[in-house]
C-alpha cells in the first residue's frame, strides 16, 4: 500500500541561499496556461469566503478570487461585474440614469453595484449631469428627481484623452470623476481619480488586458451550468472554475469538454482531483489548470463520510508530476505560510485558501462575539446549511432529508482585513523560498527536498516548554 503524507508530516530541507532579502524573490506564477499572478494565492469559491469584496482584495494583492456558485446566475454575474468595475484605466461603459430617476432609486443602484457616481443622460443619450454619493449624502427627500440634485457644471474630456492628460484635468479642476464624451456628447467612458490612485497603491494587482482587476467564478456540472458559464463569460470573467467534489468523474470530464468547446478562448480550471489519473483526464478534456484536493479543507468531512481522499502533500506531488507543466492549484488544508511553501515546493503553482480568509472583513457574513472574542462563520459548501440555503435560492424541492453532508459549519477567529492576512502568508512564503535557496517558484520546485518528520519532530517545530504570551 502506498504511503500518503500531509503538510505536517514533512519539512523543507534548508539549502544554500544567495537570497539577500525576502524582497529579492519573485513570487509570480501561473494560475492557468494563460493567466499569470504575482502571488500564488487564490481565494476559495465558498459562500462564506469569496464574493466581490474578497475577490477585489485578492486581485489587488496580486492573486485572484473565485466567486462561489451558490448564487443565482444574475447575482453571480453582478459580483463579477463589481470586481470588473472596481478598478479601471477607463470605465468603458459607465452606469447612466435618466434625470427622472429618483434619489431613492439612485442610492439603491449605487449601493447594489458598489459605485459612487452615476452619469445622467437625456432621452437621446446625451450627458446632462453627474450625481455622486456626496451629492446624495444630505439629500433627505428620497422622492426628488436626480435631475434636481445632479451637478451640471461638467468637466469632460474627449475620446482618446491620455491618462496623464486626464490626471491633469482632474487636478486642475479639483474633480474626482472625468466623463469621456464622444462627438455627439454621449458618454464614451469615465476616468476616476480613485482608479488612478489605486494604480499606484496596488502596483502588483492582477489585471486583465483592459486594466481591470481579474476575477474567476465557479460553475457546477448540472442544470444551468452552460447558461451560467455563458453569462459569466459575457460579463468578462477571466476564468471559469468547474468545481465539484469528485472532479474525476465522467460528468465533470464531459462538462469540461463541453465548456472548452463552447468557450475556447476562456481559461478553464477544473477539479477537484487527488490523483495523477484525475489530472490527466481533466487536462485531456481541455482544462487549463487543475484543482487538487479531496478532503483536506478546514471544514471538510469527505474523508470521514466517504472514506475517500489522499493526504494533501502526496496528492500535490502525484498530480503535479502528471500535469506536464499545466498548472495545478493546491486546494485546501493551508494552515500557515509554511503550508503554502510546502505546497508550491511540491509542485503546485498556486494555493486555494478558504478557512484562513473566512475570518476577514472581506468575507461575506457578520462578526459574531462569543465569550468576549470575535469570530466569523465558515461553512463547507457540502454542509447542510450551505445546501439548505442553495435549495431555497433555486426553489428546489429535492428532499433535504436525503442530503448527506460532507462539510461542517464552524467559527473562525476574526482576523481583520484580508490584505494583512495575505501579507503574512506571502511574507512567510518568501522566506520559505529563501530557505530553499530559490529566487523563483520554478527554482523552488527544482531545489525542494522534503524530509519526513515524526510527531516528535513536529512537537520540536512548534514553541515548546514555554508559556506562549
Ligand atoms: P481550507 O482548508 O482553506 O479549504 O478552508 C478550502 C477548500 O475546502 C474545500 N471545501 C470542502 N470540502 N466538504 C469538503 O469535503 C465541504 O463542504 C467543503 N467546502 C469547501 C474546497 O475545495 C475549498 O476550496
Amino acid at each position: 500500500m502506498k504511503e500518503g503524507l500531509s503538510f505536517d508530516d514533512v519539512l523543507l530541507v534548508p539549502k544554500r541561499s544567495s537570497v539577500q532579502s525576502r524582497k529579492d524573490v519573485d513570487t509570480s506564477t501561473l494560475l492557468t496556461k494563460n493567466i499569470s499572478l504575482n502571488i500564488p494565492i487564490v481565494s476559495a469559491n465558498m459562500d462564506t469566503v469569496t464574493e466581490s469584496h474578497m475577490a477585489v482584495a485578492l486581485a489587488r494583492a496580486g492573486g485572484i478570487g473565485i466567486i462561489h456558485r451558490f448564487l443565482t446566475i444574475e447575482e453571480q454575474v453582478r459580483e463579477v461585474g463589481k470586481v470588473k468595475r472596481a478598478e479601471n484605466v477607463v470605465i468603458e461603459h459607465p452606469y447612466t440614469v435618466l434625470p427622472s430617476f429618483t434619489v431613492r432609486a439612485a442610492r439603491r443602484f449605487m449601493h447594489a453595484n458598489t459605485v459612487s457616481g452615476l452619469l445622467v443622460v437625456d432621452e437621446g443619450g446625451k450627458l446632462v449631469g453627474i450625481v455622486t454619493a456626496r451629492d446624495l449624502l444630505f439629500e433627505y427627500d428620497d422622492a426628488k428627481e436626480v435631475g434636481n440634485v445632479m451637478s451640471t457644471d461638467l468637466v469632460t474630456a474627449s475620446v482618446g484623452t491620455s491618462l496623464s492628460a486626464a490626471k491633469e484635468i482632474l487636478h486642475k479642476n479639483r474633480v474626482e470623476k472625468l466623463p469621456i464624451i464622444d462627438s455627439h456628447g454621449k458618454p464614451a467612458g469615465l476616468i476616476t481619480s480613485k482608479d488612478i490612485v489605486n494604480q499606484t497603491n496596488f502596483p502588483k494587482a492582477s489585471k486583465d488586458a483592459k486594466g481591470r482587476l481579474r476575477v474567476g467564478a465557479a460553475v457546477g456540472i448540472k442544470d444551468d451550468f452552460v447558461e451560467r458559464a455563458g453569462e459569466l463569460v459575457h460579463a468578462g470573467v477571466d476564468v471559469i472554475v468547474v468545481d465539484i467534489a469528485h472532479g474525476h468523474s465522467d460528468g465533470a470530464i464531459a462538462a469540461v469538454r463541453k465548456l472548452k468547446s463552447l468557450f475556447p478562448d476562456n481559461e478553464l480550471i477544473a477539479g477537484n482531483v487527488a490523483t495523477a489519473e484525475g489530472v490527466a483526464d481533466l487536462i485531456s478534456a481541455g482544462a487549463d489548470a487543475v484543482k487538487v484536493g479531496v478532503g483536506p479543507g478546514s471544514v471538510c468531512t469527505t474523508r470521514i463520510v466517504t472514506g475517500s481522499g489522499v493526504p494533501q502533500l502526496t496528492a500535490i506531488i502525484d498530480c503535479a508530476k502528471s500535469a506536464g507543466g499545466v498548472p495545478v492549484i493546491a486546494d485546501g488544508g493551508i494552515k500557515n505560510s509554511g503550508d503554502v511553501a510546502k505546497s508550491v515546493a511540491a509542485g503546485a503553482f498556486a494555493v486555494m485558501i478558504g478557512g484562513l480568509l473566512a475570518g476577514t472583513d472581506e468575507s461575506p457574513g457578520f462578526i459574531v462575539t462569543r465569550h468576549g472574542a470575535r469570530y466569523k462563520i465558515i461553512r463547507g459548501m457540502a454542509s447542510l446549511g450551505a445546501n439548505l440555503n442553495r435549495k431555497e435560492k433555486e426553489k428546489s424541492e429535492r428532499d433535504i432529508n436525503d442530503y448527506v453532508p460532507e462539510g461542517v459549519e464552524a467559527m473562525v477567529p476574526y482576523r481583520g482585513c484580508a490584505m494583512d492576512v495575505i501579507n503574512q502568508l506571502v511574507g512567510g512564503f518568501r522566506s520559505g523560498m529563501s530557505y530553499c535557496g530559490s529566487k523563483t517558484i520554478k527554482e523552488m520546485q527544482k531545489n525542494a527536498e522534503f524530509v519526513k518528520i515524526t510527531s516528535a519532530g513536529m512537537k520540536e517545530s512548534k514553541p515548546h516548554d514555554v508559556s506562549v504570551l
Side-chain angles (χ1 to χ4, degrees), residues 65-264:
I66 312 296
I67 309 283
H68 71 92
R69 66 182 167 91
F70 283 11
L71 294 166
T72 62
I73 296 179
E74 203 185 23
E75 287 167 342
Q76 197 182 20
V77 163
R78 194 177 315 131
E79 292 304 301
V80 167
K82 285 184 194 170
V83 183
K84 283 291 164 198
R85 281 174 175 268
E87 257 174 54
N88 296 264
V89 177
V90 179
I91 301 165
E92 276 186 345
H93 303 289
Y95 291 121
T96 59
V97 293
L98 290 169
S100 55
F101 229 58
T102 61
V103 164
R104 181 185 299 112
R107 255 199 208 109
R108 277 199 193 137
F109 191 88
M110 285 191 212
H111 180 72
N113 294 287
T114 42
V115 292
S116 62
L118 299 170
L119 300 185
V120 188
V121 293
D122 65 16
E123 300 279 353
K126 246 171 126 171
L127 183 70
V128 292
I130 184 165
V131 60
T132 67
R134 217 173 349 159
D135 296 325
L136 303 184
L137 192 59
F138 298 116
E139 180 51 71
Y140 300 114
D141 184 358
D142 269 2
K144 221 180 206 172
E145 291 190 351
V146 160
N148 295 323
V149 297
M150 67 187 184
S151 315
T152 49
D153 191 12
L154 292 172
V155 180
T156 60
S158 53
V159 174
T161 303
S162 71
L163 206 59
S164 57
K167 226 165 153 176
E168 275 294 304
I169 302 172
L170 287 165
H171 176 63
K172 212 168 107 205
N173 295 280
R174 302 289 191 272
V175 288
E176 289 177 356
K177 295 188 194 316
L178 182 65
I180 308 293
I181 49 169
D182 65 15
S183 54
H184 307 288
K186 294 182 178 175
L190 179 68
I191 295 177
T192 72
S193 54
K194 196 183 89 201
D195 285 339
I196 295 176
V197 170
N198 277 336
Q199 278 167 39
T200 343
N201 285 351
F202 306 109
K204 294 271 183 199
S206 304
K207 302 257 180 97
D208 64 17
K210 292 182 177 167
R212 302 173 304 178
L213 295 176
R214 286 204 187 274
V215 60
V219 302
I221 63 164
K222 285 191 192 147
D223 305 328
D224 61 10
F225 80 99
V226 171
E227 186 197 348
R228 185 177 284 266
E231 293 294 326
L232 291 164
V233 169
H234 184 67
V237 79
D238 294 277
V239 56
I240 296 281
V241 181
V242 175
D243 182 74
I244 62 163
H246 189 18
H248 195 195
S249 58
D250 292 349
I253 292 166
V256 169
R257 198 168 282 131
K258 177 150 202 170
L259 291 180
K260 199 63 198 173
S261 72
L262 289 172
F263 312 107

Side-chain angles (χ1 to χ4, degrees), residues 315-436:
I316 299 169
I317 292 172
D318 290 351
C319 291
K321 265 192 210 143
S322 113
V326 174
V328 299
I329 301 161
D331 176 16
I334 300 288
K335 307 175 293 304
N336 46 49
S337 51
D339 291 348
V340 179
K342 289 172 189 175
S343 300
V344 171
F349 282 52
V351 298
M352 179 172 259
I353 292 181
L356 284 185
L357 290 167
T360 63
D361 292 323
E362 287 80 354
S363 70
F366 301 101
I367 296 171
V368 293
T369 306
R370 282 275 169 92
H371 310 299
R374 297 199 286 173
Y375 301 89
K376 284 191 89 167
I377 303 295
I378 182 173
R379 60 185 186 190
M381 292 301 274
S383 67
L384 192 62
N387 282 278
L388 273 173
N389 190 264
R390 178 186 181 196
K391 283 182 197 310
E392 230 166 68
K393 281 203 162 170
E394 289 173 355
K395 309 217 172 339
S396 160
E397 289 183 359
R398 271 175 256 169
D399 190 355
I400 198 73
N401 290 326
D402 289 342
Y403 188 71
V404 180
E406 288 182 27
V408 296
E409 296 167 61
M411 291 191 308
V412 282
Y414 169 64
R415 293 183 214 268
C417 85
M419 198 60 104
D420 290 346
V421 173
I422 296 166
N423 284 341
Q424 285 296 317
L425 285 174
V426 176
F429 171 60
R430 283 175 174 278
S431 295
M433 289 176 74
S434 163
Y435 275 98
C436 283

